[in-house]
Amino acid sequence: MMTDRPIVVAGAGAIGCFVGGMLAAAGRRVALLVRPRVKTEIARFGLLLTDFDGSEKKLSPGQFALSEDPAIFHSAGIVLVTVKSADTAAIADQIAQHAPQDAVIISLQNGVGNVAVLRERLGDRRVLAGMVPFNVVGMGEGRFHRSTSGDIHIGEDEANTAAALSVPGLTVRASRDITGVQWGKLIINLNNALSALSDMPLAAQLASRDWRKLFADQMAEGLAAMKAAGITPVSATPIPSAWTPTLLRLPDPIFNLILGRTMKIDPEARSSMWQDLKQGRKTEIDYLQGAIIALAEHNNVDVPLSRRIVALINEAEAAGKGPPRLTPQQVRG
C-alpha cells in the first residue's frame, strides 16, 4: 500500500488541499483531483499552507500532481475522499472505474453516512472511516489556512494505515471506535450552522454566552437522540461529549480557561458552512442537523431547535445573500 504509489486526494477543496499539501511537504507522492477553478489557482500560485500557530509551508506545483481527470486514480495506493457528502456517490463511481482494486479508500468527510455509501458502491474494496477535527479556510492565491487544532482519526486496521499517513505537522491516529468518533465530531459540527447564521468568527461566537447556550441546547437535543438510538459519541477532546453542554453554559471566564487548555482556535476561524453560504454553495446541513433529525424521528425524540436551524439554513441558501447575521434570539425564534 505505502510503496511509491501516490496518495490521491479525491475532491481537493480546503481540507483536501491542506491534507494533501502537508503529505507532499513531508515527501509523500501526492496527487490532487480538483475542480477547474482550484486547478487554475494552484497551478499559478502553488500551495501555501499556513497554521494557527504561525507556521507555514510553501509548495511549488511540481511537488505534487494536479488534475481534473479522475484517471489520476489509476495507480493510487491510498485515496483520501474529501468531497462534500452530497457528492460521495459520484466520486465513489469514479474511484470504482479508475482506481486499482487494492487501493485503500479513506473518508475524511463530515457526517456519519459517507462510508456506507462508499462501501455500497465500491464492493469488496477496503474502505476506512476517518474524522478531521480541524477547520481549513481557503484564503485565495493558493493559500489554505488551518484555523483550529486537533489530530485526524481513522479506523484501526491491520496495515496500520494511520501511522503510515502521519507526518510532521499532520498527526493521524488509529481509532478502535471510529463510528463513535464520527458521532462525536458530528455533535461538535452542529455549531457549523450557528457560525454560518451569525456571520461571526468561531472564537468570537464561543466568547458569547448567549451563542454558547444556543449551541449547548442544540447539542443536548443531539445527545438525547443518540442516547435513544444506543449511540455513544467519542469526544475528540479530553472533555467527554456528555459534559460539553454543561461546559458551554458556564460563565465566560471559566469557559475560556477550559477551552484554552483543550483547543486552539485562530481568531478568524470560520466554519465550512459559513464558507458555503458566503460562496453561494449548497451546505451540508442535511448531513449534520439532518442526521440528528432522522435519528430523532426513528426513536420518537423531539428536536425542535434542530428543525428550526435547518429551516433557517435552507432559507439562507435560497436567498443567496450569504450569512444572514442573525442573533441568538432570532435563531431561537
Side-chain angles (χ1 to χ4, degrees):
M1 177 189 65
M2 290 302 294
T3 60
D4 193 40
R5 289 164 60 182
I7 301 166
V8 181
V9 181
I15 289 289
C17 285
F18 187 88
V19 171
M22 291 294 288
L23 290 166
R28 301 297 170 82
R29 188 179 171 196
V30 172
L32 305 179
L33 178 67
V34 294
R35 296 184 184 277
R37 178 191 61 79
V38 178
K39 181 183 178 184
T40 300
E41 178 182 334
I42 295 176
R44 179 180 178 186
F45 296 104
L47 279 177
L48 176 61
L49 310 176
T50 58
D51 215 331
F52 61 86
D53 62 5
S55 63
E56 65 176 54
K57 297 182 185 296
K58 176 69 175 178
L59 292 87
S60 68
Q63 290 179 259
F64 49 88
L66 192 65
S67 180
E68 306 165 41
D69 186 350
I72 200 171
F73 292 129
H74 72 94
S75 61
I78 293 177
V79 176
L80 303 179
V81 180
T82 61
V83 298
K84 297 286 189 182
S85 297
D87 297 323
T88 302
I91 200 70
D93 290 343
Q94 293 180 354
I95 294 168
Q97 181 178 353
H98 296 284
Q101 188 67 28
D102 64 344
V104 181
I105 318 302
I106 304 173
S107 169
L108 297 182
Q109 302 164 273
N110 283 333
V112 293
N114 293 298
V115 168
V117 175
L118 290 169
R119 286 175 175 160
E120 178 184 358
R121 301 246 172 184
L122 294 173
D124 59 358
R125 294 173 190 255
R126 185 143 59 100
V127 178
L128 299 178
M131 185 279 290
V132 179
F134 51 78
N135 289 348
V136 177
V137 180
M139 308 293 287
E141 298 187 352
R143 181 186 172 197
F144 294 90
H145 180 70
R146 176 164 56 179
S147 55
T148 58
S149 61
D151 299 334
I152 294 174
H153 288 68
I154 66 173
E156 187 177 61
D157 67 339
E158 293 182 358
N160 202 5
T161 304
L165 286 172
S166 197
V167 297
L170 188 78
T171 300
V172 182
R173 302 187 184 277
S175 172
R176 294 183 178 181
D177 184 10
I178 192 62
T179 299
V181 168
Q182 287 183 309
W183 280 105
K185 170 69 183 306
L186 187 146
I187 276 288
I188 297 299
N189 271 350
L190 296 179
N191 195 46
N192 279 9
L194 300 184
S195 171
L197 293 171
S198 70
D199 197 25
M200 295 170 65
L202 290 169
Q205 186 191 40
L206 287 173
S208 165
R209 196 177 185 191
D210 284 344
W211 278 110
R212 292 201 311 274
K213 287 179 178 178
L214 187 60
F215 183 19
D217 292 347
Q218 191 182 195
M219 281 191 70
E221 285 188 355
L223 289 168
M226 290 182 194
K227 183 177 181 179
I231 296 169
T232 303
V234 176
S235 177
T237 75
I239 301 169
S241 297
W243 295 5
T244 307
T246 300
L247 175 65
L248 288 166
R249 296 185 179 106
L250 291 173
D252 292 341
I254 302 173
F255 172 81
N256 291 332
L257 179 64
I258 296 173
L259 179 67
R261 291 179 176 178
T262 58
M263 188 176 186
K264 304 300 181 183
I265 303 178
D266 188 287
E268 292 305 313
R270 306 274 188 165
S271 74
S272 57
M273 199 172 294
W274 174 88
Q275 296 176 63
D276 289 338
L277 287 186
K278 197 77 172 174
Q279 297 176 19
R281 299 189 303 237
K282 178 74 174 171
T283 73
E284 291 188 297
I285 192 72
D286 291 340
Y287 301 91
L288 299 176
Q289 275 81 356
I292 294 297
I293 292 170
L295 202 64
E297 287 179 346
H298 188 71
N299 293 280
N300 297 314
V301 176
D302 194 21
V303 288
L305 184 55
S306 297
R307 294 183 186 278
R308 166 78 176 164
I309 290 169
V310 169
L312 290 172
I313 290 291
N314 288 340
E315 287 176 12
E317 289 176 344
K321 297 179 180 179
R325 299 188 177 184
L326 302 182
T327 66
Q329 293 73 26
Q330 289 172 320
V331 173
R332 288 187 186 276

